[in-house]
Structure formats: structure tokens, C-alpha cells
Amino acid sequence: MGFMTIDGQRVEFTNEPNVLTVIRNAEIDIPTLCYHSELSIYGACRLCTVEDDRGKTFASCAEPPRDGMVIYTNTPRLMRYRRTILELLLAAHDRDCTTCVKSGECHLLELAHRMGVDRIRFKNREAKYPIDESSPAIVRNPNKCILCGDCVRMCDNVQSVNAIDFAYRGTSTLVTPAFNKTIAQTNCVNCGQCRVVCPTGAISIKTNIDEVWDALADPNTIVVAQVAPAVRVA
Ligand code: FES
């Protein structure tokens, strides 16, 4: 057991795996895009960044709690960082939000509204990747991917399917099946768990149920199976 000070409030912790969990246990709101308690820590989005009493910033999801820590979660500097991160993510994202299948439940958009992002100062990236509709159940739109890696960790570490992963580098980085294959050409089992954790419309489930059933009736379609329990999204 230990104590830390969060925004001036003394908070006790015991076995919490990271500072983020201690903050949330204290009922302090802090935004996250890439953290799920059932997935490994990736620290990609940096939205959960906090500041300590020396002005050092760090991702709270990737930091173990230590006795005597003094941290701040909502300073003007942190709010500025978060808004800039969201602006950058939105600029790299295909923003056809009104017709997006995730419209109304997009976590990225919800955070942008919550953080007061009312303009985007950066040039929008062109939507240049083809949409992969080859799977009987899943649609993959790389133009909406924010590279949080949640689907990769779900598919690889939890489901042990390994149908998708990161490929290429820098601004060309993509989450994709290997060797430019389509989803239908991988061993994807259509469990849909990647969609459960995807915060945007980058992965969605086909909505035309007749089409899904026709495809599943096809003996060439890989069998649908839920190989692990659905995760609870934290
Ligand atoms: Fe901590 Fe994304 S939630 S870096």
C-alpha cells in the first residue's frame, strides 16, 4: 500500500498496475484512446499524459504508481497537449464522419468534443487506402485508423489469431494483414473482437446481415468462432 497526491488530493493505492488506474479509482476523469485493462500496455496515444511536481510529463497508463508521487492531471499545459494530439489524429483521419458507420459512437470524435477541439490547424491526410471488404463479416478502412494498436493486441495477444499487424514505417505505417493480403486471405476467424476495441470506424462489422449469412454458408468461408471471451472495454 502507498499514497500519492493527485491534483492536491491524497490518494491511497495498493496493487493498481499503473498510475492511470489510481487516477480513475479516485474518480478523476482522464481521456484515453489506446488503454484497455485487458490488453497489454502500448502507450501510443499519449492522451493519458500527466505531469509531476518537477514538471516531468509521462503517460500514466505506462507508469507504475510509487509512494509519494505528486501528479497533476489537468494543467493548462496538459490540456493543450491533449487538444494538439487530437487535432493531429483527426488530421490523419478520413473525416467523412456524417456517413461513418461509427457515427454517434466514435471515441475519437467524442474526445475531440469533450476536449474542446473546435478547429484543426493541420492539413488533412488524403484518404488513399482501399477499403477491405473481402471478409464475410468485417470491413477494414485504413483511412480511419489512428494506429492505437488495440486491434493488433486483441487479434495477436488475446485471440492468438495474428491476422493483422503493423507494417511499413513513419507516415506510411499501417495496420494490415501481411504481404498486402486482404482479410479474407488471412486466418481471420471473424470473431469481431478487433471491432470491439477499435475506437474509430477503421474496423466495422458488415451491416447487411443477408450478405453475411450467404458468405458464412459458403464452404470456402473460414469458420466463425469466438475464440476468447469478449473483453470489457475500460
Ligand atoms: Fe496512455 Fe494511450 S492511454 S498512452
Side-chain angles (χ1 to χ4, degrees), residues 106-149:
C106 174
H107 193 38
L108 175 62
L109 200 55
E110 186 249 316
L111 283 182
H113 288 156
R114 183 140 61 95
M115 295 288 120
V117 176
D118 53 10
R119 70 193 164 121
I120 294 163
R121 291 166 292 167
F122 309 106
K123 190 164 173 267
N124 205 45
R125 190 179 70 180
E126 195 189 334
K128 58 182 180 188
Y129 298 110
I131 297 172
D132 180 359
E133 296 185 285
S134 63
S135 154
I138 289 165
V139 179
R140 202 175 58 82
N141 183 349
N143 302 300
K144 296 189 178 180
C145 178
I146 58 167
L147 302 175
C148 65

Side-chain angles (χ1 to χ4, degrees), residues 20 31-35 42-48 59-62:
L20 175 67
T32 56
L33 267 174
C34 73
Y35 178 75
Y42 186 48
C45 73
R46 315 311 279 186
L47 280 177
C48 70
S60 60
C61 70

Side-chain angles (χ1 to χ4, degrees), residues 18 20 32-46 61-62 146-166 175-176 191 193-195 197-199 203 227-228 231:
N18 48 41
L20 175 67
T32 56
L33 267 174
C34 73
Y35 178 75
H36 294 283
S37 52
E38 285 83 359
L39 299 181
S40 57
I41 304 290
Y42 186 48
C45 73
R46 315 311 279 186
C61 70
I146 58 167
L147 302 175
C148 65
D150 290 359
C151 57
V152 172
R153 284 173 289 144
M154 172 54 76
C155 186
D156 300 357
N157 303 350
V158 179
Q159 302 294 72
S160 303
V161 173
N162 299 295
I164 48 175
D165 210 330
F166 288 101
V175 169
T176 174
C191 66
Q193 296 298 288
C194 51
R195 190 277 181 202
V197 292
C198 178
I203 299 180
V227 294
V231 295

